[in-house]
Amino acid sequence: MKVDTEIGILTRLLDNHPAVMLLIDTSHTILWSNQAYQKTLNLPPGRLIKDKCYVKMGHSEPCFDCPVTEVLKSGDPCLGLIQLGSTESSQSINNFWIIEASAVFDTTGEISGAFIVAHDSSECDWVKQNLENKEHFIRELVETLGVIVWTCDENGVFTYVNLAVEKILGYTRNEYVNMAVSDLMHPNDYRKIEKDVPRLLQEKKGWNNVIVRWLHKNGSWRKLESSAVAIIGADGEVIGFRGIDRDVSDRLDLMAQLAQAQKMEAMGRFAGGIAHDSNNMLGVILGYCEIALDGMDPSNEIRNCLEQIKSAAGRSADLAKQLLTYARKQVTKPEVVDLNDRITKTLTLLRRLIGENIKLTWLPGKKLWPVKADHHQLDQVLSNLCINSRDAIEEVGEITISTKNVRVKKAMCEIRTGFIPGDYVLITLTDTGKGIKKEIIDHIFDPFFTTKPVGQGTGLGLSTVFGIIKQNNGFIYAFSEPGKYTSFEIFLPKYSGVITEKDEEYLDVEVQTGTESVLLVEDEQAKLEIVDLFLKRLGYNVTAMNSSKKALQLFQKNPDKFDLLLTDMVMPELRGRQLMDKMKSIKPDLKYIFMSGFISTGERGTDSPIKVSADEPLLQKPFSQKELATIIRKVLDS
């Protein structure tokens, strides 16, 4: 009885105390409050609403720097300053209170809650000054941030925004406030977000790292990464959101460009591998067709069949070469080129390709720097681009080709993936065709990508152009305005070395024979057999080996037996150049010829290609018996 009396007296004392007092559990739920708290919130006498303490203060989660959270964590008393709100009245919503919190322990010594004593600080001068200083600091900090800080109401109408909005989206603060989310967000993104709004309002939550497209004042779309928290009103419901938006447009665009470059590199490796194997088999088909047709009576009914097979294999070999070019694994013979001179020589061919209904305008730059590239491949680039432009022009139009010297600076390389600073000669080809849509232009250099109807395009034209430019150490960029034009910019590096006279082309001569001894090394058995047959038909004494190591061992035993080494470049044991180097260390005057379907990308995935210099003899697979005969005599007779 005495204990009950003491508890009753203690309760009345706490109830009559002018300070606000609360007892909360470890989940921040209010278990008891005195009359001062109820009066502060205008609650009827004796009424207790068991709710989270932070919800009473207008928050959706525990307050930042909350002394109660600290007490429940450490068990030590804590003093702090927070803003106290009400679910029933806004009377004290802007009042700040000094909070004294201490832990409540159960019989086992574990923390079971906290006891809070709160004093209204509205009349306390030092608290006012502290708050003013803190508010000034926060406002300055928010206004200097490089991200958009904003608040909006429950209908998505902005009520505040910091100055960063002008730099990121082009709007002034006054223009942005009172605009709605639906006015600024991309319609497709808004439809997705709109579905989540009821759930966010019900759960009283915000969102994290959501990327949406936002309308810039100039009409373009920027990609913003948005995070926000809910603002809880006096009635405990969501009255708006506050958050930050970070502009990630450039980062996402660079990531997309990198992913595209990696994809094209992977596809190039895949395409190159397929094309190399196809080249070997096509070489065998073409070789046996050539032998079978040699001397066959024109009236033989089988002759036409063989010629059709040879023609189809030849077209397939051209397709394989396009794949190898895209993969940047085709053999090149670079030489110093004057692009103005080279393009001038191709104009007649280009005009024939595009037809009389399209005007071809040539604007050569002055004092053009020299470049070092394979001029046959450059002809192919211009031809492919002109054909592509011709197909894009309906009825009549114009194609303009121009050249000039340019210096690519670091700032440009940060915008365009794959660009490298330096001096370049720029070739620009622009057509007045129907243009390329934005969603398509990122894929135009992909192999087998085409917008032409089935049967009217392989999708290798532009991918071949891409491969050629990369193989010649340059880069290409395309831009377009649908319905108006498309432009291709080709950057080829300036050649700064010593300019020498270029080699003469092989002369078109009759098939030449010989009797010298040839060591033939080729790991592909079918290809080995057809080249062996070619050589023997030409009169040479042939030793054919499908193993480079065994060929070296044989050569070491009797090096004087052989006059010429004819070797494939890419083999599993010793590569062609390694084999040649080892043999020439034994016999320095040994003549050699390389054969190759492509130049591989080096050992174990490294990116150091095995190159053939312009003055080294090389046969590009597939080759004919006549081509083989011509190069052998040129090498042996030199």
Side-chain angles (χ1 to χ4, degrees):
M1 192 68 175
K2 182 179 179 182
V3 172
D4 291 342
T5 301
E6 290 177 350
I7 291 175
I9 293 171
L10 180 60
T11 301
R12 285 195 297 275
L13 287 173
L14 296 177
D15 261 342
N16 293 326
H17 198 284
V20 169
M21 298 183 181
L22 298 172
L23 179 66
I24 68 169
D25 64 14
T26 53
S27 67
H28 289 260
T29 301
I30 300 173
L31 303 177
W32 173 87
S33 65
N34 68 348
Q35 291 181 15
Y37 174 74
Q38 294 167 13
K39 288 178 181 178
T40 300
L41 301 183
N42 286 336
L43 296 175
R47 182 179 174 188
L48 173 65
I49 298 177
K50 291 190 175 183
D51 207 342
K52 307 291 185 183
C53 62
Y54 51 81
V55 173
K56 299 293 187 184
M57 298 166 195
H59 302 290
S60 59
E61 55 188 28
C63 309
F64 174 74
D65 204 23
C66 174
V68 176
T69 302
E70 197 62 36
V71 165
L72 292 175
K73 186 189 300 182
S74 66
D76 298 326
C78 189
L79 184 69
L81 187 70
I82 63 170
Q83 187 177 22
L84 183 63
S86 166
T87 59
E88 300 292 329
S89 168
S90 61
Q91 176 183 343
S92 303
I93 193 69
N94 291 319
N95 284 2
F96 282 86
W97 293 68
I98 299 172
I99 302 297
E100 298 175 271
S102 56
V104 176
F105 300 92
D106 60 19
T107 55
T108 65
E110 296 293 324
I111 298 174
S112 61
F115 186 72
I116 301 170
V117 179
H119 303 277
D120 188 352
S121 65
S122 57
E123 300 303 321
C124 185
D125 291 338
W126 72 267
V127 171
K128 288 182 180 180
Q129 186 61 48
N130 183 276
L131 291 174
E132 288 175 2
N133 292 340
K134 184 178 290 187
E135 182 180 1
H136 180 71
F137 170 76
I138 291 174
R139 283 191 177 277
E140 281 193 337
L141 182 64
V142 168
E143 292 300 338
T144 56
L145 288 175
V147 297
I148 299 175
V149 181
W150 54 267
T151 61
C152 71
D153 61 23
E154 69 272 22
N155 298 314
V157 177
F158 290 101
T159 56
Y160 166 80
V161 68
N162 68 341
L163 290 174
V165 71
E166 186 168 352
K167 181 178 179 181
I168 294 175
L169 293 176
Y171 303 98
T172 65
R173 190 200 304 263
N174 291 337
E175 289 173 332
Y176 203 77
V177 171
N178 295 324
M179 293 179 74
V181 171
S182 57
D183 298 329
L184 295 162
M185 192 181 295
H186 192 284
N188 293 344
D189 295 340
Y190 183 73
R191 282 191 288 271
K192 296 176 184 177
I193 297 295
E194 195 176 23
K195 296 177 182 178
D196 285 335
V197 172
R199 177 182 59 82
L200 295 173
L201 294 174
Q202 181 181 1
E203 296 178 0
K204 303 177 183 179
K205 291 183 178 179
W207 56 87
N208 287 307
N209 304 325
V210 176
I211 296 177
V212 293
R213 287 165 290 181
W214 217 251
L215 183 64
H216 192 282
K217 190 176 179 179
N218 64 13
S220 64
W221 295 99
R222 303 297 294 175
K223 295 172 185 175
L224 303 185
E225 185 180 61
S226 179
S227 297
V229 296
I231 303 173
I232 310 300
D235 59 355
E237 299 300 323
V238 176
I239 62 171
F241 297 91
R242 65 169 65 93
I244 60 172
D245 291 348
R246 179 181 291 104
D247 187 0
V248 294
S249 305
D250 295 339
R251 174 168 63 87
L252 292 178
D253 288 346
L254 286 173
M255 289 173 62
Q257 290 179 42
L258 176 61
Q260 176 72 2
Q262 290 173 332
K263 181 188 76 172
M264 293 184 73
E265 181 65 27
M267 293 179 73
R269 291 178 183 273
F270 176 69
I274 292 176
H276 173 253
D277 292 341
S278 298
N279 244 352
N280 277 334
M281 294 301 101
L282 291 167
V284 174
I285 295 170
L286 288 167
Y288 281 115
C289 283
E290 185 177 351
I291 291 171
L293 287 166
D294 187 21
M296 181 179 285
D297 192 321
S299 63
N300 192 319
E301 60 181 13
I302 299 177
R303 184 179 184 87
N304 182 57
C305 295
L306 289 172
E307 287 177 342
Q308 291 297 326
I309 292 171
K310 184 180 179 182
S311 176
R315 290 196 299 271
S316 297
D318 290 339
L319 187 63
K321 286 181 180 178
Q322 284 185 295
L323 281 172
L324 286 169
T325 302
Y326 165 73
R328 306 194 295 282
K329 294 178 179 179
Q330 188 181 26
V331 178
T332 61
K333 287 199 170 183
E335 58 189 15
V336 179
V337 177
D338 179 336
L339 285 177
N340 282 346
D341 179 60
R342 190 67 226 168
I343 294 173
T344 299
K345 289 178 178 178
T346 63
L347 290 178
T348 301
L349 170 64
L350 297 179
R351 287 193 172 98
R352 231 183 263 131
L353 284 173
I354 63 178
E356 296 179 355
N357 61 314
I358 298 174
K359 179 183 178 182
L360 180 60
T361 302
W362 166 224
L363 303 174
K366 296 180 179 179
K367 297 181 180 180
L368 214 61
W369 293 324
V371 300
K372 191 167 187 178
D374 186 313
H375 71 270
H376 295 296
Q377 287 190 327
L378 294 179
D379 294 347
Q380 187 178 358
V381 166
L382 292 173
S383 298
N384 285 1
L385 290 178
C386 282
I387 290 171
N388 201 67
S389 294
R390 177 200 65 190
D391 295 341
I393 294 174
E394 298 175 354
E395 297 181 357
V396 296
E398 183 177 5
I399 297 174
T400 302
I401 303 174
S402 63
T403 57
K404 66 177 180 179
N405 299 327
V406 295
R407 175 162 292 168
V408 175
K409 297 183 179 180
K410 185 177 180 181
M412 177 61 71
C413 301
E414 293 174 353
I415 298 173
R416 296 182 180 178
T417 301
F419 277 34
I420 301 172
D423 292 333
Y424 295 85
V425 176
L426 171 64
I427 307 173
T428 303
L429 188 147
T430 303
D431 66 61
T432 58
K434 58 188 175 183
I436 305 172
K437 295 178 181 178
K438 189 178 187 306
E439 59 268 23
I440 292 177
I441 202 165
D442 291 338
H443 302 284
I444 59 174
F445 296 117
D446 293 1
F448 306 114
F449 178 84
T450 180
T451 57
K452 295 178 183 178
V454 176
Q456 293 187 23
T458 62
L460 285 173
L462 290 179
S463 62
T464 299
V465 168
F466 179 88
I468 288 174
I469 301 305
K470 286 291 185 183
Q471 194 171 16
N472 285 280
N473 302 311
F475 36 85
I476 183 169
Y477 183 75
F479 53 96
S480 178
E481 186 171 341
K484 293 186 177 181
Y485 70 89
T486 298
S487 283
F488 291 90
E489 292 183 340
I490 299 167
F491 297 79
L492 293 172
K494 171 187 176 183
Y495 178 70
S496 301
V498 178
I499 300 176
T500 58
E501 292 185 6
K502 60 183 180 181
D503 290 339
E504 295 181 359
E505 300 290 332
Y506 293 141
L507 298 175
D508 185 13
V509 296
E510 294 297 323
V511 175
Q512 302 175 63
T513 60
T515 58
E516 289 89 346
S517 180
V518 179
L519 176 56
L520 170 64
V521 187
E522 165 66 65
D523 63 304
E524 178 63 50
Q525 187 63 34
K527 186 65 179 175
L528 177 72
E529 292 174 3
I530 188 63
V531 178
D532 181 29
L533 188 53
F534 275 169
L535 291 168
K536 287 176 179 176
R537 284 167 57 85
L538 293 169
Y540 294 101
N541 180 22
V542 186
T543 302
M545 307 289 293
N546 63 5
S547 166
S548 54
K549 282 190 174 180
K550 290 181 179 178
L552 179 61
Q553 291 170 359
L554 178 65
F555 183 83
Q556 288 170 334
K557 292 178 181 177
N558 189 5
D560 293 331
K561 176 183 176 181
F562 302 103
D563 302 300
L564 175 73
L565 168 66
L566 179 59
T567 178
D568 187 29
M569 279 293 290
V570 182
M571 295 180 289
E573 296 171 337
L574 292 171
R575 295 186 182 275
R577 182 169 295 283
Q578 293 172 319
L579 180 63
M580 181 272 292
D581 288 341
K582 290 181 181 294
M583 288 185 177
K584 283 185 75 68
S585 68
I586 300 170
K587 186 178 180 180
D589 60 346
L590 176 69
K591 303 294 179 68
Y592 67 92
I593 300 171
F594 290 132
M595 301 180 294
S596 183
F598 68 87
I599 300 302
S600 78
T601 52
E603 298 287 347
R604 299 184 182 180
T606 62
D607 198 26
S608 54
I610 299 173
K611 295 181 180 179
V612 177
S613 63
D615 58 349
E616 286 187 300
L618 182 138
L619 270 170
Q620 174 75 54
K621 296 178 183 178
F623 51 82
S624 67
Q625 179 176 285
K626 184 176 180 180
E627 290 173 312
L628 176 63
T630 301
I631 194 172
I632 287 179
R633 289 284 15 123
K634 181 179 176 66
V635 170
L636 288 174
D637 295 340
S638 62

